[in-house]
Amino acid sequence: MVFQKPPDGGWGWVIVVVSFFAQFLCYGSPLAVGVLYLEWLDAFGEGKGKTAWVGSLANGIGLLASPVCSICVSSFGARPVAIFSGFMVAGGLMISSFAPNIYFLYISYGIVVGLGCGLLYTATVTITCQYFDKRRGLALGLISTGSSVGLFIYAALQRALIELYGLDGCLLIVGALSLNILACGSLMRPLESSDSPPPEKSCVDKAPDQYLVYREKEKTVEENISILEKGYLDEKCSNNMPDCKQDGILNKNVLSSINVNEKDTYKKKVVEQTNFCKQLAKRKWQLYLNYWEETAVLFKNKVFSALFVAILLFDIGGFPASLLMEDVARSANINEDDYRMPLISIIGIMTAIGKLTLGILADFKWVNTLYLYVTTLLMTGMALFAIPFARSYLTLAMLSAVLGFLTGNWSIFPYVTTKTVGIEKLTHAYGILMFFAGLGNSFGPPIVGWFYDWTQEYDTAFYFSGFCVLLGGFLLLLAALPCWNACANQSSKLPPNTYSYKVASKA
């Protein structure tokens, strides 16, 4: 199907609004899972590392399953997938209210809700890109803030609901609110196809049709021969019984010759079809080999390899802070009366501000997006190192604000990826990076929780987290130094289609 030119407005702004609210309703509870994390610790009495798996799966499984989510949106469209994801998120949250143990939550909250979030994210981004071209960056920036605003509101909302109705009532009400995703998804009207004729099918696309034609021809020939033979023999036998046997033999000989000729023609067609299928399989295998060759070429790029390590270490070390900050405050024996706002809410609102601010900075020509991204990594590492020294609500709130703002570097990550590998390989490279980001999201909180279970304090855990983020930042900075570009210019044996990040005044 050929879609018409993106309107860059009109119904597209409705798409932006409903995508914003869809992400708000979908990601509010999983991102603010730190509030529920405390309740699950008390309810099930499991270790912090084991309990942290619930929130980490809910936030990481959607990234890990991003290729599957993309296939679903491509096959069924954004609107059906968005509506289906609403059922998954709402159903997962409601079922989680009846969880008898932590293992049940791994499935109901971690996998079901996580997959629903991944499907919805892919659907909202895809349909927004279809409706916008020149204003695509603005539209994507607006809908991405929905998750951050959801984190800010749901942190306080879930705490209030727990106080009023308990943990089970909170999950039921939040799940019921998520059903509004169905209304948002129903408004995601697909972009109408243009009136231009569809492109002619290639040989690969025509293969199934041709095969069906051959089968129909074979079936028709056999049926006609059978009917002709039967009718001819019946007529001769009724008119002239003595000649019936002789004419029947003659007729069978004639029809058998016709049958042989038709079958020979069909056999030739089958041979052609078999050869075509062999060529198709060979072509598919070649595409598969090309994919892995292109992946190997990407990893020959020093900056891309460092970026892959940096995003993995950043999510292992940086993501647990937003999940565990509430438990850090409780472990520091901070009086609940001092709480003016949940720390998770502070992280959420500052993440939204960080996304917008860093995105605006990335548009300035004098700002290098790679160095800007490295700066956020290094500052995040230092902020994580400072958490063990925070012993009051004020200091934890300030560190939460800093970490939330720096987490907004997700808005400039696509810029950095594009500058590193080129626009032609952006989709391939971004999919690989998001997969490893999902690994970091999935394993980061349990690792930090296991450190606490081992040492009975968070100091060592956040020293480890800060070290991971700083290591990733320094590796990325080292790979982006201008000296590598000078060496690359002197070398004449660069792999084909590789890109080196040129540190220039333009971002």
Side-chain angles (χ1 to χ4, degrees):
M1 180 179 293
V2 180
F3 291 103
Q4 66 182 14
K5 184 179 179 180
D8 279 302
W11 192 260
W13 294 118
V14 178
I15 298 296
V16 169
V17 172
V18 297
S19 297
F20 171 89
F21 281 105
Q23 291 201 15
F24 168 84
L25 295 166
C26 179
Y27 280 95
S29 180
L31 290 179
V33 73
V35 177
L36 303 176
Y37 171 76
L38 299 177
E39 302 299 324
W40 288 329
L41 283 173
D42 298 334
F44 301 113
E46 300 286 353
K48 295 181 185 294
K50 186 181 291 187
T51 307
W53 270 108
V54 181
S56 62
L57 284 174
N59 288 277
I61 199 71
L63 294 174
L64 290 174
S66 56
V68 178
C69 298
S70 299
I71 293 174
C72 291
V73 174
S74 300
S75 302
F76 304 105
R79 177 157 59 182
V81 171
I83 294 174
F84 180 74
S85 68
F87 281 112
M88 289 192 67
V89 174
L93 290 170
M94 292 180 179
I95 294 174
S96 298
S97 64
F98 304 100
N101 51 55
I102 199 68
Y103 304 102
F104 188 90
L105 287 174
Y106 290 163
I107 305 297
S108 62
Y109 197 99
I111 296 180
V112 176
V113 175
L115 280 176
C117 292
L119 288 170
L120 182 72
Y121 177 80
T122 306
T124 53
V125 170
T126 300
I127 196 167
T128 302
C129 290
Q130 291 176 358
Y131 270 87
F132 289 90
D133 183 15
K134 297 178 181 179
R135 300 177 180 177
R136 184 174 296 169
L138 174 61
L140 291 175
L142 290 173
I143 68 171
S144 66
T145 57
S147 58
S148 301
V149 176
L151 170 58
F152 170 71
I153 295 179
Y154 268 73
L157 176 63
Q158 290 186 145
R159 173 173 291 181
L161 291 175
I162 290 172
E163 293 177 356
L164 293 174
Y165 305 104
L167 176 60
D168 297 343
C170 171
L171 289 172
L172 285 173
I173 294 174
V174 171
L177 289 175
S178 300
L179 288 173
N180 289 287
I181 297 174
L182 306 181
C184 296
S186 64
L187 293 174
M188 294 180 184
R189 186 176 64 195
L191 194 63
E192 296 180 357
S193 58
S194 61
D195 296 332
S196 58
E200 186 180 358
K201 287 186 178 180
S202 61
C203 295
V204 175
D205 297 329
K206 289 180 179 180
D209 298 337
Q210 292 176 356
Y211 182 65
L212 290 175
V213 170
Y214 298 151
R215 293 196 62 182
E216 290 296 331
K217 285 183 177 180
E218 178 193 13
K219 184 178 179 181
T220 303
V221 168
E222 291 178 352
E223 289 179 351
N224 290 341
I225 291 174
S226 178
I227 293 172
L228 181 60
E229 180 179 0
K230 182 179 179 181
Y232 183 82
L233 289 176
D234 291 344
E235 182 180 358
K236 294 294 296 182
C237 289
S238 61
N239 295 335
N240 193 356
M241 293 297 294
D243 297 335
C244 178
K245 184 175 182 180
Q246 182 178 358
D247 290 344
I249 296 174
L250 178 61
N251 184 52
K252 286 183 179 180
N253 293 333
V254 174
L255 293 177
S256 62
S257 62
I258 297 175
N259 192 7
V260 169
N261 292 334
E262 292 291 346
K263 286 187 176 181
D264 288 341
T265 303
Y266 171 70
K267 287 180 180 179
K268 292 180 181 179
K269 298 294 185 180
V270 170
V271 171
E272 293 177 2
Q273 185 67 23
T274 303
N275 293 333
F276 177 79
C277 292
K278 290 180 179 179
Q279 294 176 0
L280 178 62
K282 184 177 180 181
R283 180 181 176 183
K284 292 293 184 182
W285 177 252
Q286 188 62 39
L287 291 174
Y288 179 77
L289 293 178
N290 291 341
Y291 175 84
W292 288 108
E293 288 177 0
E294 291 176 2
T295 303
V297 168
L298 285 175
F299 279 99
K300 290 180 181 179
N301 187 335
K302 295 182 178 64
V303 179
F304 179 81
S305 298
L307 193 62
F308 140 73
V309 176
I311 190 64
L312 177 62
L313 293 177
F314 173 74
D315 281 281
I316 290 177
F319 175 68
S322 62
L323 176 62
L324 304 174
M325 190 61 75
E326 296 292 333
D327 192 46
V328 171
R330 187 169 71 169
S331 301
N333 297 321
I334 295 177
N335 191 353
E336 293 184 0
D337 295 335
D338 296 335
Y339 271 67
R340 297 175 181 84
M341 182 183 296
L343 298 176
I344 299 295
S345 296
I346 296 175
I347 293 175
I349 194 63
M350 291 305 297
T351 300
I353 296 174
K355 286 179 179 179
L356 294 176
T357 304
L358 295 174
I360 292 172
L361 286 176
D363 287 334
F364 288 108
K365 295 182 179 181
W366 51 271
V367 175
N368 189 291
T369 51
L370 180 62
Y371 284 166
L372 179 62
Y373 185 74
V374 170
T375 301
T376 61
L377 294 182
L378 299 179
M379 293 179 66
T380 300
M382 291 185 287
L384 291 171
F385 271 118
I387 289 179
F389 300 98
R391 295 293 181 234
S392 66
Y393 172 81
L394 180 61
T395 53
L396 283 176
M398 293 174 61
L399 289 174
S400 298
V402 172
L403 288 171
F405 181 86
L406 296 174
T407 306
N409 61 7
W410 276 96
S411 64
I412 63 174
F413 189 73
Y415 287 80
V416 177
T417 308
T418 303
K419 287 293 183 179
T420 303
V421 302
I423 191 66
E424 298 85 1
K425 298 185 177 181
L426 175 61
T427 303
H428 187 181
Y430 198 73
I432 295 173
L433 294 174
M434 287 300 98
F435 176 82
F436 286 102
L439 285 180
N441 277 346
S442 299
F443 288 101
I447 291 174
V448 173
W450 289 330
F451 268 107
Y452 183 92
D453 295 335
W454 178 38
T455 62
Q456 294 303 310
E457 43 86 17
Y458 274 116
D459 295 356
T460 306
F462 281 103
Y463 289 147
F464 169 78
S465 298
F467 173 77
C468 288
V469 178
L470 285 176
L471 177 61
F474 279 121
L475 289 177
L476 185 57
L477 178 62
L478 181 64
L481 291 177
C483 61
W484 296 112
N485 294 326
C487 296
N489 292 333
Q490 294 176 1
S491 176
S492 60
K493 295 183 178 181
L494 277 175
N497 298 326
T498 56
Y499 298 83
S500 60
Y501 195 102
K502 296 182 179 180
V503 180
S505 59
K506 290 187 177 182

